[in-house]
Every structure is written in C-alpha cells, then in structure tokens.
Amino acid sequence: MLGVTILGNNSAIPAHGRHPTAQIISTQDDLLLFDCGEGTQIQILNYKIRRSRINHIFISHLHGDHYFGLIGLLSSFALLNRVQPLHVYGPAALQGLLDQQFQLSEIHIPFPYHFHAIEKDGLLLETPNYIVSCFSTKHRIECRGFIIRQKKRNRKILKNRADSRDIPFNLYALLQEGKDVTLENGTVIKNEEVTIASPPPKSYAFTADTLFDPSLIEQIQGVDLLYHEATYPHALADKASARFHSTTKEAAEIAKRAGVKKLLIGHFSAKFDDTSAFEEEAKEVFPYSEAAIEGTTYLV
Ligand SMILES: [Zn+2]
Ligand SMILES: [Zn+2]
C-alpha cells in the first residue's frame, strides 16, 4: 500500500486550527515523514501515528514552517530510547543546525542516526519495495520536492490452482517472475494458469514550496497523486509569484499538464479560514483536485 496522511496543510503561520507542513507516507514496510513543521509530533499523537515506525525523514528546505518540529521529534526519539536507525535527508546546512542543538541541549542520540545532505537532484533512497528521489523547485531559498515510487511487484501465485496442478514449491520463484514452468513429468504449466498480476506500482509527488514552474511537469509526469502547494487563491497571483509561491489554478495547471491522476492542494495562507474556495478554483482547471485536510489519509 501507499498512503499519505496530512499532518499540516497550512503555510508559514499556524491559523484556523491548521498546522505547518508535515506528511506521513505509509508504505508496506515503514513510515516516511515529508517535512516536519512545528507541532508535528503533537499531530503524530493526535492522529495515532506509530512514530516508532518512522525510519526516514525528508526536509524540503530551511523555511521554519518545514522543519521547526524536527528537533522536538528527534529529542523525543532520544527520550523514548528509540533503538532502530533513523535517516534524515535535507539541505546540508541542516546538519550543523541539528548538531548544535544536540550539543547545547546535551541531547544524546541513543539510536543509529544518519544525516544525508541533499546536494543534487536524483535518487535519495532505494529499498526492495520503493524508491525516493528529489527534484529542485523554484523557491526563495534552495528547495526540493520528493517523489516516492513503488517498485513493480512480482506476479502472485494462486495457491489453490498451483496445488491442483501439483507444482512443487521450488518452481514458485520462476512463476512469480512470470515464466512458464515444466514439471518433472514433462507437463508445461503456462504462467497465467496459476498466477495473477500484482497491482500496478503507485507513485506520489510532493512539490514542497514553489513558484508556478512548468519545468516541474517533466519530474512529476503521470504520478498517481500529486501534492502541490496553493498558498493563494488565483486573484492573488502577483502576490504568489512575488513570494515564490503558487495559486490554486497554477497548481491545477501543473497537475493537468503533467497528466497526474489526482491533485491535493495545501500550504494555505493563514489569511483564509475556509479552504473550500481553493478547491473550487483548482477544480475549474483540473477536476480531480481536492483541498488537503489534516488528519486525512489519502490512499494513492
Ligand atoms: Zn512553506
Ligand atoms: Zn518556503
């Protein structure tokens, strides 16, 4: 499975019960955290996320609304005597910031802790089941978005049918790879007789903070779910570009041109209480748009 739980959908200043950016990505193996705005660990508690399952944290950029929650979360991991390794990926300068905070607060990290400085676009993490990579966005300071792509999975064996054809266990690996097999008595078993295809691999892209930037389209082409910031309604397009942010219609335009299946918008300006108008505007350009809601898990 691949799911995205929104912990924060607001921009720089918390308002109207909304929090700064943080998202939990659920995979079949573990949890990932994309950005860690202030209050993230409280939101993790509010939505009963199993924090011990978070193995990888990715920070898009060093505006506070995307990482001010990190030192708190790491401190709690230390106090809770976490044992499993934790990997943090972010701008190189973040490492020094965290180290200084650990040092000044005399925080001892009892678990294996690995900081990975993001210095270029491309692959960040590869596991047997998924790949995470990053791409640059156009923002006031260096900023990167992230994409998680599931790997293609092997075919599934239909146990009843395999048993009825007396297929020995040692031929299963070949069947899972999609090959036909020959039994000892010479009978050829066609692959499709005893297997079915696994669900197609899914993908999710998070564009962090960005200006309207058509060069992103190539990076996020065809993803199943896209989260694109829409800090302002489209009437404030000038303000959005002056502040290196996007509007509802700009986010939707990127989604439409990239051929994504679904768009989530967020990073809403604190000036606006009701986000339904944001959703309506985005839908005018791209019908499969939704305003992200905190605490909601979107299955990819
Ligand atoms: Zn931001
Ligand atoms: Zn920013």
Side-chain angles (χ1 to χ4, degrees):
M1 63 92 71
L2 188 62
V4 180
T5 306
I6 305 298
L7 300 182
N9 63 2
N10 217 48
S11 60
I13 300 166
H16 317 294
R18 302 193 302 257
H19 298 72
T21 304
Q23 313 186 341
I24 291 285
I25 317 302
S26 314
T27 77
Q28 66 205 88
D29 307 318
D30 54 6
L31 302 178
L32 282 56
L33 180 62
F34 282 3
D35 279 342
C36 188
E38 189 181 347
T40 295
Q41 60 172 335
I42 310 291
Q43 290 291 77
I44 283 173
L45 288 176
N46 286 341
Y47 297 115
K48 300 184 169 55
I49 309 287
R50 285 174 59 195
R51 62 188 158 202
S52 61
R53 292 195 63 222
I54 299 172
N55 290 338
H56 302 277
I57 299 175
F58 300 83
I59 302 296
S60 64
H61 67 302
L62 293 183
H63 280 154
D65 56 320
H66 297 257
Y67 83 100
F68 278 173
L70 189 55
I71 191 69
L73 182 62
L74 296 180
S75 305
S76 295
F77 280 149
L79 291 169
L80 291 161
N81 286 319
R82 177 191 170 105
V83 287
Q84 75 271 34
L86 181 74
H87 297 264
V88 176
Y89 309 73
L94 179 59
Q95 183 168 23
L97 269 173
L98 292 173
D99 285 348
Q100 193 177 29
Q101 285 178 307
F102 294 148
Q103 202 185 344
L104 292 173
S105 313
E106 296 187 7
I107 296 169
H108 168 67
I109 301 289
F111 51 87
Y113 161 75
H114 306 279
F115 186 88
H116 306 266
I118 301 178
E119 274 153 352
K120 58 180 185 351
D121 293 355
L123 181 72
L124 291 176
L125 167 66
E126 179 164 8
T127 77
N129 293 315
Y130 62 82
I131 287 174
V132 180
S133 50
C134 67
F135 54 88
S136 294
T137 74
K138 286 204 173 77
H139 197 41
R140 199 146 40 80
I141 59 172
E142 183 183 342
C143 181
R144 284 189 173 83
F146 305 113
I147 298 191
I148 177 165
R149 294 181 192 279
Q150 288 181 322
K151 289 185 179 175
K152 193 168 181 292
R153 272 171 287 169
N154 282 339
R155 292 181 69 84
K156 274 190 191 145
I157 303 215
L158 300 164
K159 191 77 175 73
N160 290 345
R161 289 208 204 163
D163 287 350
S164 72
R165 304 296 301 271
D166 290 328
I167 298 174
F169 198 64
N170 61 1
L171 294 177
Y172 275 23
L174 288 171
L175 288 168
Q176 284 165 328
E177 287 167 21
K179 296 187 175 112
D180 298 340
V181 294
T182 306
L183 303 184
E184 269 183 19
N185 64 12
T187 308
V188 175
I189 309 283
K190 288 274 178 210
N191 192 281
E192 58 270 24
E193 291 175 37
V194 291
T195 71
I196 50 163
S198 289
K202 303 286 184 164
S203 52
Y204 168 66
F206 163 74
T207 64
D209 286 4
T210 187
L211 266 180
F212 174 66
D213 175 16
S215 77
L216 289 181
I217 291 167
E218 193 188 337
Q219 307 290 336
I220 59 176
Q221 193 78 46
V223 295
D224 294 283
L225 179 65
L226 168 68
Y227 182 101
H228 193 297
E229 71 129 290
T231 307
Y232 297 104
H234 200 63
L236 299 180
D238 288 347
K239 193 173 192 176
S241 61
R243 297 184 175 187
F244 290 86
H245 285 301
S246 301
T247 71
T248 49
K249 291 193 178 183
E250 289 169 344
E253 180 72 19
I254 296 288
K256 185 168 83 174
R257 284 163 63 180
V260 310
K261 292 207 177 69
K262 184 177 168 176
L263 169 68
L264 275 183
I265 52 170
H267 200 267
F268 304 117
S269 163
K271 287 211 165 50
F272 301 88
D273 185 355
D274 181 13
T275 61
S276 59
F278 282 74
E279 182 172 304
E280 289 313 310
E281 278 195 1
K283 278 182 170 160
E284 286 171 25
V285 176
F286 183 68
Y288 311 106
S289 301
E290 226 176 295
I293 297 170
E294 289 184 10
T296 299
T297 298
Y298 299 87
L299 288 178
V300 181

